[in-house]
């Protein structure tokens, strides 16, 4: 493609060379530069693409894109003393991340114009909502691609995720692959960081969804303030053809400031919502846990979920509201919700007829508090919480999670998570320090399998056992190496070993 076609709409300014330059690839990683490449200089948390301009010239890049405030960096590579090449085009733009997004969309033929993309933003509920939407649409016969926290799903391919929303080039590449694989729809999680870093610039979402908002991701390398966090989330509704929002959330009006699309609403507490849930029943029987409720408004039907909690009902309303735009039959919505399961998100694993066990990704105090508070609505015999904290991360998280579990669980089994380069015992000491403020009951078992075994073997009728923190992860990271560790596998091994013992 011609350079000018890739950079259309970016406000670029030609410094040297020609905008007619022929481009053979678009890259933002200097290690991938080849002759004919367009190299876009991104300023990241750990490195700055502008530091590799000389390498770009030496490797044969056809053109480079720099940020306006880095123009002094080009003087060295323009010097004939440093290079015999004089044919590399250099352009300057206000924001190279926006340029990368626009160039990527153009390079892959603007795939979002060919496949409807459903974007979901919010502090909580993004992952579960995307899987619910995918389950309903696929039950009705659609082929659905997914981009999210756990993975990217493209046809038969499941690619583990590094970020909730990947870099703009990967987003556009994935959408093109979905189209080529015969996908009809893409559903994706859109994080606040994705908006801050312009990973979805230059594309329009068919439907944008807002789940909820609470203070999170505020600090170094994330968002400067809650106001910035809110503003980033709100950008979705200036890039969507249709908006769907949770009317119960107290921040919904801030999220909708400046929106440019029609808005539909859902909720449980607000009678003005277009779609609402009534008569919630907390189901806990025969080792199963879930929800029963009635959906009213644009739909009128009884619904059931094999996932616990009021927040799961919100996610179900999100999914139903979205799927109505694709003319999905009511029965397909009902059946799909009744069978939906999301790996590592309130994922129930049957271990007994008398008590329940679930795996959840809650790995910070806010998520753990929300989870344990919701489970209290089931009036369990006990809540038993098994968790640890990751090493080489903020120590404050350990104190906070210990305090939350001490206050809200009847018994906590403190164990190991991903210790990374720290001593697991030292991490558990920090959790205990937070726990000590509460007077709650706890035991500590460093070996995660043995901690889970203790919870299962000593399970009592009516217990709710929560394995928190690992969720969808199938590894444990120790001293820079990832070792296989899937809690579902551990549970199966424990049940088999205990059965052998009791023969």
């Amino acid at each position: 493609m011609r350079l000018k076609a890739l950079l259309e709409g970016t406000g670029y300014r030609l410094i040297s060379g020609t905008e007619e330059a022929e481009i053979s690839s678009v890259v933002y990683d200097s290690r991938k530069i080849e002759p004919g490449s367009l190299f876009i200089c991104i300023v990241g948390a750990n490195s700055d693409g502008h530091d590799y301009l000389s390498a770009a010239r030496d490797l044969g890049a056809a053109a480079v894109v720099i940020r306006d405030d880095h123009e002094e960096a080009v003087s060295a590579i323009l010097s004939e003393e440093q290079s015999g090449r004089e044919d590399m085009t250099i352009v300057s733009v206000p924001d190279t991340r926006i340029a990368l997004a626009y160039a990527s969309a153009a390079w892959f033929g603007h795939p979002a114009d060919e496949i409807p993309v459903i974007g979901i933003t919010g502090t909580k509920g993004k992952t579960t909502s995307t899987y619910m939407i995918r389950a309903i649409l696929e039950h009705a016969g659609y082929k659905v691609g997914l981009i999210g926290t756990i993975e990217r799903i493209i046809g038969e391919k499941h690619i583990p995720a590094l970020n909730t929303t990947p870099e703009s080039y990967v987003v556009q590449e994935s959408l093109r692959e979905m189209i080529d694989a015969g996908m009809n729809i893409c559903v994706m999680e859109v994080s606040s960081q994705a908006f801050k870093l312009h990973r979805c610039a230059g594309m329009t979402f068919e439907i944008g969804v807002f789940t909820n908002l609470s203070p999170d991701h505020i600090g170094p390398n994330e968002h400067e303030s809650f106001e910035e966090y809110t503003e980033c989330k709100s950008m979705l509704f200036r890039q969507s053809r249709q908006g769907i929002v949770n009317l119960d959330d107290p921040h919904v009006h801030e999220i909708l400031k400046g929106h440019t699309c029609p808005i539909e609403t859902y909720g449980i507490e607000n009678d003005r919502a277009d779609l609402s849930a009534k008569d919630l029943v907390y189901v806990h029987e025969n080792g199963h846990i879930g929800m029963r409720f009635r959906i009213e408004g644009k739909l009128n039907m009884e619904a059931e979920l094999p996932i616990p909690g009021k927040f799961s009902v919100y996610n179900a309303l999100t999914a139903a509201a979205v799927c109505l735009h694709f003319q999905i039959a009511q029965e397909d919505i009902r059946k799909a919700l009744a069978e939906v399961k999301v790996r590592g998100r309130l994922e129930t694993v049957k271990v007994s007829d008398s008590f329940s066990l679930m795996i959840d990704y809650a790995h910070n105090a806010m998520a753990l508090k929300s989870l344990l508070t919701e489970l209290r609505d089931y009036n369990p015999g006990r809540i038993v919480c098994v968790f640890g904290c990751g090493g080489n991360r903020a120590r404050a998280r350990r104190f906070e999670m210990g305090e939350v579990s001490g206050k809200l669980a009847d018994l906590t089994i403190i164990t190991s998570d991903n210790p990374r380069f720290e001593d697991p015992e030292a991490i558990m000491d920090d959790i205990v320090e937070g726990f000590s403020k509460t007077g709650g009951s706890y035991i500590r078992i460093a070996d995660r399998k043995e901690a889970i075994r203790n919870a299962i073997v000593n399970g009592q009728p009516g217990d709710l056992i929560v394995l928190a923190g690992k969720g969808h992860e199938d590894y444990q990271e120790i001293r820079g190496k990832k070792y296989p560790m899937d809690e579902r596998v551990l549970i199966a091994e424990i049940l088999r070993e205990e059965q052998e013992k009791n023969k």
Side-chain angles (χ1 to χ4, degrees):
M1 294 182 69
R2 300 283 182 189
L3 177 62
K4 66 180 181 181
L6 290 169
L7 297 181
E8 188 177 346
T10 63
Y12 72 90
R13 188 163 49 86
L14 193 64
I15 294 177
S16 69
T18 173
E19 62 184 4
E20 298 294 336
E22 193 74 41
I23 303 300
S24 60
S25 65
V26 176
V27 299
Y28 55 97
D29 182 337
S30 61
R31 294 167 296 185
K32 295 181 179 179
I33 298 171
E34 299 172 341
S37 293
L38 167 63
F39 175 53
I40 302 178
C41 300
I42 300 298
V43 180
N46 301 311
S47 65
D48 184 342
H50 297 85
D51 294 337
Y52 301 95
L53 288 169
S54 295
R57 164 160 270 177
D58 295 342
L59 290 168
V64 296
V65 179
I66 66 167
R67 214 165 68 182
D68 287 345
D69 58 1
H70 281 63
E71 283 193 30
E72 71 281 359
V74 306
S75 57
I77 64 161
L78 286 175
S79 167
E80 277 191 56
E81 285 77 24
Q82 285 201 336
S83 171
R85 280 194 66 207
E86 298 177 2
D87 58 340
M88 185 172 75
T89 295
I90 302 172
V91 298
S92 174
V93 296
D95 192 316
T96 51
R97 287 191 173 276
I98 293 176
L100 176 62
Y102 276 67
S104 299
W107 182 254
F108 289 105
H110 299 284
D113 294 342
E114 296 179 44
I115 185 172
V117 182
I118 302 158
I120 301 179
T121 199
T123 304
K124 295 177 290 187
K126 296 188 297 297
T127 300
T128 301
S129 294
T130 55
Y131 280 89
M132 283 186 176
I133 292 167
R134 182 171 183 265
I136 295 170
L137 291 172
E138 294 218 317
H139 194 278
Y142 284 96
K143 293 179 180 178
V144 184
L146 183 145
I147 299 172
T149 302
I150 298 175
E151 61 189 343
R152 282 181 287 140
I153 303 175
I154 304 172
E156 298 301 314
K157 287 199 302 184
H158 292 249
I159 305 141
L162 298 175
N163 305 100
T164 295
T165 312
E167 192 54 82
S168 56
Y169 183 93
V170 179
V171 170
Q172 300 298 333
E173 181 182 43
S174 299
L175 293 177
R176 177 50 62 192
E177 285 185 25
M178 288 176 192
I179 293 165
D180 293 344
M183 306 282 98
N184 311 116
I185 298 171
C186 170
V187 58
M188 68 182 284
E189 298 180 51
V190 193
S191 66
S192 55
Q193 279 289 301
F195 286 116
K196 181 176 180 176
L197 300 177
H198 306 294
R199 290 175 181 162
C200 296
M203 63 180 283
T204 301
F205 294 89
E206 187 67 27
I207 299 175
V209 180
F210 165 68
T211 60
N212 52 63
L213 193 70
S214 52
D216 197 12
H217 302 294
I218 297 164
N221 298 323
E222 292 194 275
H223 295 285
E224 292 179 3
S225 63
F226 184 64
E227 289 71 26
E228 183 192 280
Y229 180 55
T230 304
E231 167 59 23
C232 286
K233 296 275 187 200
S234 74
M235 291 167 68
L236 177 60
F237 300 98
R238 299 192 285 277
Q239 279 183 241
S240 299
R241 295 186 179 94
Q242 172 69 54
I244 297 174
V245 300
N246 175 4
L247 196 56
D248 290 350
D249 191 89
H251 302 285
V252 67
H253 298 296
E254 298 160 57
I255 290 291
L256 290 177
K257 279 181 182 174
H259 72 274
T260 56
C261 59
I263 299 295
E264 292 177 2
T265 60
Y266 65 90
I268 297 174
E269 314 296 343
N270 199 311
D271 290 333
R272 293 184 292 110
D274 296 314
L275 203 63
S276 61
K278 305 292 182 187
D279 306 324
L280 276 61
V281 177
Y282 292 76
V283 180
H284 187 199
E285 54 197 20
N286 302 321
H288 292 285
I289 183 167
M291 297 294 296
R292 277 198 293 265
F293 54 99
R294 177 164 185 79
I295 299 178
E296 296 181 354
K298 290 193 170 187
L299 271 176
N300 282 287
M301 57 180 275
E302 301 295 327
E304 190 162 349
L305 283 173
I307 305 174
K310 186 176 180 179
F311 42 71
S312 297
V313 176
Y314 277 110
N315 295 333
L317 287 174
T318 300
V322 167
C323 290
L324 283 175
H325 284 270
F326 295 93
Q327 289 75 52
I328 305 300
Q330 186 166 292
E331 188 61 12
D332 282 320
I333 294 174
R334 188 189 66 78
K335 284 182 178 177
L337 289 177
E339 298 167 2
V340 72
K341 200 168 188 177
V342 183
R343 183 176 174 84
R345 299 302 193 276
L346 292 169
E347 177 187 354
T348 56
V349 180
K350 184 70 183 289
V351 295
S352 168
D353 287 335
S354 62
F355 60 86
S356 302
L357 179 147
M358 70 191 67
I359 297 171
D360 193 77
Y361 190 50
H363 59 289
N364 59 40
M366 183 181 68
L368 190 63
K369 181 179 180 181
S370 176
L371 171 62
L372 298 180
T373 302
E374 282 278 348
L375 293 181
R376 196 51 75 182
D377 289 330
Y378 284 87
N379 297 313
R382 298 183 305 168
I383 293 178
V384 179
C385 182
V386 182
F387 84 95
C389 288
N392 302 105
R393 298 293 186 269
R395 286 184 70 198
R397 179 178 290 185
R398 306 167 193 178
F399 309 137
E400 293 162 358
M401 289 185 73
E403 187 172 352
V404 165
S405 193
K407 288 177 179 176
L408 298 176
D410 298 289
L411 172 66
T412 299
I413 302 178
I414 300 170
T415 187
S416 186
D417 191 282
N418 291 318
R420 297 186 177 90
F421 290 93
E422 287 195 66
D423 177 3
E425 294 291 343
I427 296 173
M428 291 193 292
D429 286 343
D430 286 340
I431 296 172
V432 169
E433 187 174 331
F435 211 96
S436 63
K437 300 177 182 178
T438 69
S441 298
Y442 75 91
I443 56 176
R444 52 191 285 175
I445 304 174
D447 185 304
R448 197 169 183 103
K449 180 177 179 180
E450 293 311 309
I452 295 170
R453 186 193 304 276
N454 185 287
I456 292 173
V457 169
N458 296 297
Q460 299 175 12
D463 277 358
L464 287 178
I465 300 171
V466 180
L467 311 184
K470 294 295 289 176
H472 59 277
E473 293 179 355
D474 57 3
Y475 62 85
Q476 189 171 41
E477 190 175 342
I478 303 171
R479 298 280 165 196
K481 186 174 178 182
K482 289 183 177 180
Y483 295 88
M485 193 192 74
D486 186 324
E487 290 186 320
R488 297 145 204 81
V489 174
L490 297 184
I491 292 164
E493 289 175 355
I494 290 164
L495 294 177
R496 189 168 58 249
E497 290 162 5
E498 293 302 314
Q499 192 175 32
E500 287 294 321
K501 271 190 208 175
N502 296 326
K503 275 187 179 178

